[in-house]
Amino acid sequence: MPVKREPFTTVSGPAAWLPKPNIDTDVIIRIERLTTLPRGELGPYGFESLRYHPDGSEDPDFVMNQPRFRRAPFLLAGENFGCGSSREGAVWALREMGVRCVIAPSFGDIFYSNCFQNGVLPIRLPADEVEAIGSLCRTGAPLKVDLERLRLEPPGQPPLSFTVDAQRREALLTGLDDIDRTLKDDDAIRAWQNADRAARPWVWSI
């Protein structure tokens, strides 16, 4: 049977605003952490170079160290977020920090795909809309996303619409990854195989 992940339908909560452009996957999680730590232990090292002073103490100016934005489910980011090398661990680290949705004007392509594979919703919006949401959420006022209706609801403002590939949206809504979605059709696949064996036995004898 398919193994379900946590479905993504609606999420509401604070939105941490990190507008710096071109934050790459090495900034999100350093490569040496991925070689020494297993998945599930990466959260404390997310954004390590931005989050901590050289002596290991927290930088209070880093947005996700501020009490209202600890474990914030939304991250508002700058252009080209998640660029650089392809490492799925960058998304793992974000999830372990509490992030379920990243909103930015643009993303690194592989990072964008990895988000969907790990239950994180990446949303592309124009830079001015991301900045406006960031300003509205500075005090910790909650942002809400409704994936079923493809709506983003900034505090005190009309909803914004966004687009997501239909298959990726279904995977998030159901909590199923690509393999799980294929296994849902296991009976139909086996029925087709049996029928094809009968119709073209020479193909299956190899």
Side-chain angles (χ1 to χ4, degrees):
M1 292 294 292
V3 178
K4 293 195 71 172
R5 300 177 301 179
E6 181 184 0
F8 190 120
T9 52
T10 63
V11 171
S12 180
W17 190 18
L18 190 61
K20 183 178 178 181
N22 302 312
I23 290 180
D24 63 27
T25 52
D26 192 59
V27 172
I28 299 171
I29 188 71
R30 288 163 48 180
I31 189 63
E32 59 265 35
R33 299 303 182 192
L34 295 177
T35 61
T36 58
L37 294 170
R39 184 174 184 176
E41 296 182 14
L42 299 173
Y45 303 97
F47 296 115
E48 187 172 355
S49 63
L50 303 176
R51 194 171 169 187
Y52 302 108
H53 293 302
D55 64 1
S57 62
E58 286 190 349
D59 182 349
D61 291 331
F62 180 66
V63 63
M64 299 181 86
N65 286 338
Q66 297 168 14
R68 66 175 69 108
F69 297 117
R70 287 187 188 272
R71 307 293 300 174
F74 292 94
L75 177 62
L76 302 169
E79 295 272 2
N80 203 27
F81 184 78
C83 58
S85 62
S86 59
R87 60 184 69 168
E88 198 170 9
V91 184
W92 299 347
L94 291 177
R95 277 298 309 266
E96 291 169 28
M97 292 178 71
V99 175
R100 294 300 313 277
C101 179
V102 183
I103 304 168
S106 59
F107 294 91
D109 289 341
I110 297 175
F111 174 86
Y112 183 80
S113 296
N114 283 339
C115 283
F116 289 103
Q117 297 293 338
N118 290 279
V120 174
L121 173 62
I123 297 176
R124 295 188 182 104
L125 287 180
D128 59 339
E129 292 186 5
V130 178
E131 184 175 355
I133 294 170
S135 295
L136 290 167
C137 294
R138 277 187 183 276
T139 62
L143 182 63
K144 180 179 178 181
V145 64
D146 185 333
L147 184 56
E148 289 185 316
R149 296 196 289 173
L150 296 173
R151 288 181 15 150
L152 190 65
E153 302 177 16
Q157 297 294 316
L160 300 171
S161 61
F162 61 92
T163 60
V164 176
D165 174 81
Q167 290 188 345
R168 286 171 160 171
R169 174 175 171 269
E170 179 193 0
L172 285 176
L173 287 171
T174 58
L176 299 176
D177 63 17
D178 290 345
I179 295 174
D180 296 331
R181 290 174 59 241
T182 300
L183 290 175
K184 276 181 27 178
D185 297 323
D186 185 56
D187 290 343
I189 292 169
R190 291 180 184 275
W192 179 89
Q193 289 174 332
N194 291 334
D196 198 58
R197 279 192 183 96
R200 303 187 304 159
W202 62 89
V203 173
W204 295 87
S205 63
I206 298 174

